[in-house]
Amino acid sequence: MTRVAIFCSGSGSNAEALMQYFHNHSQISIVLVVVNRPDALAQERASRFGIPSLYLSRQMFSNQPEEVLAALLQRDIRFILLAGFLQKIHPFLIDAFPEGILNIHPSLLPDFGGKGMYGTHVHEAVLASGKTETGLTIHKVDSEYDHGKIIFQARCRVEKDDSPSDIATRVLAMEHSFYPVVAEQVILAHQSNTPLISS
Ligand code: GRF
């Protein structure tokens, strides 16, 4: 059984889709939801699935990554799924989970990614660019925002009269269907070959 943590900063609708999909999964178990905002709604969603959540401050993520790692190791976490986690992952954690952190982003990376590109800013930028297509990207996490190896992308059209919120709704629905399935494949492939390196 691979024990997985979800990292989340806000609403957590993707976190919920993941918890739903992996509920009673035979090989993958979501055992923890980590939030870096005390008011993150994801905590309530987790409690509905009987999954514990843990608040760790932004300051701790930036300056005491060894404490974040300790909390994860204590719970034997082997894989991390970012789901709307609005903070860069410290290189210390990336080294501790080689190839073991996945993120989802609501655009076709490398377009419309990077610092400040989150939430509605992404979809506003897509509209301003005049692109007729957008989508989602699921990628491995490295120490730059929205930058690691791309694992999967799905596309949808941008219609002429779309608002940013129309695009957000369309992309989010796709995220909910694709992220769990792609995460499952990546975690199962990862299970057999990468031991957790801790320092
Ligand atoms: C999603 O659009 C995801 O791609 C991005 O942050 C958003 C999180 O939304 N990384 P939610 O909290 O899962 O509803």
Side-chain angles (χ1 to χ4, degrees):
M1 184 67 81
T2 300
R3 294 169 63 82
V4 176
I6 297 174
F7 284 15
C8 198
S9 299
S11 149
S13 68
N14 275 287
E16 176 154 352
L18 291 164
M19 290 186 281
Q20 183 73 57
Y21 185 83
F22 290 114
H23 187 65
N24 291 332
H25 194 282
S26 61
Q27 295 177 75
I28 296 167
S29 180
I30 308 286
V31 295
L32 183 68
V33 172
V34 178
V35 297
N36 64 350
R37 290 183 51 144
D39 58 348
L41 182 62
Q43 296 169 102
E44 284 168 45
R45 297 190 196 257
S47 74
R48 288 205 293 274
F49 285 86
I51 295 173
S53 48
L54 176 69
Y55 164 65
L56 300 174
S57 66
R58 291 182 59 83
Q59 188 275 339
M60 187 182 279
F61 272 101
S62 298
N63 303 327
Q64 297 157 280
E66 62 291 340
E67 301 213 9
V68 177
L69 179 60
L72 298 173
L73 292 181
Q74 203 177 45
R75 292 159 178 86
D76 200 20
I77 303 294
R78 297 302 169 118
F79 203 97
I80 298 171
L81 295 171
L82 307 186
F85 187 69
L86 300 179
Q87 188 169 2
K88 213 185 246 186
I89 300 295
H90 197 288
F92 182 83
L93 279 182
I94 290 167
D95 289 347
F97 289 87
E99 302 281 312
I101 312 179
L102 215 54
N103 183 41
I104 187 162
H105 184 80
S107 76
L108 297 170
L109 291 175
D111 291 346
F112 312 110
K115 195 167 166 54
M117 276 294 165
Y118 62 91
T120 194
H121 303 298
V122 177
H123 309 303
E124 283 165 5
V126 168
L127 278 178
S129 75
K131 298 242 182 204
T132 54
E133 207 178 46
T134 187
L136 65 90
T137 302
I138 297 171
H139 64 94
K140 294 274 174 83
V141 171
D142 65 13
S143 52
E144 289 179 47
Y145 276 117
D146 304 323
H147 180 263
K149 182 180 171 202
I150 292 175
I151 306 291
F152 175 86
Q153 292 188 309
R155 291 159 194 277
C156 63
R157 282 194 55 76
V158 175
E159 305 296 345
K160 258 207 325 265
D161 53 353
D162 271 345
S163 68
S165 119
D166 292 330
I167 302 177
T169 305
R170 195 172 304 136
V171 173
L172 198 59
M174 290 168 57
E175 293 185 40
H176 296 162
S177 19
F178 285 117
Y179 198 17
V181 181
V182 174
E184 179 183 38
Q185 288 170 12
V186 174
I187 295 167
L188 292 178
H190 183 266
Q191 241 171 17
S192 46
N193 53 20
T194 317
L196 181 65
I197 299 168
S198 65
S199 50

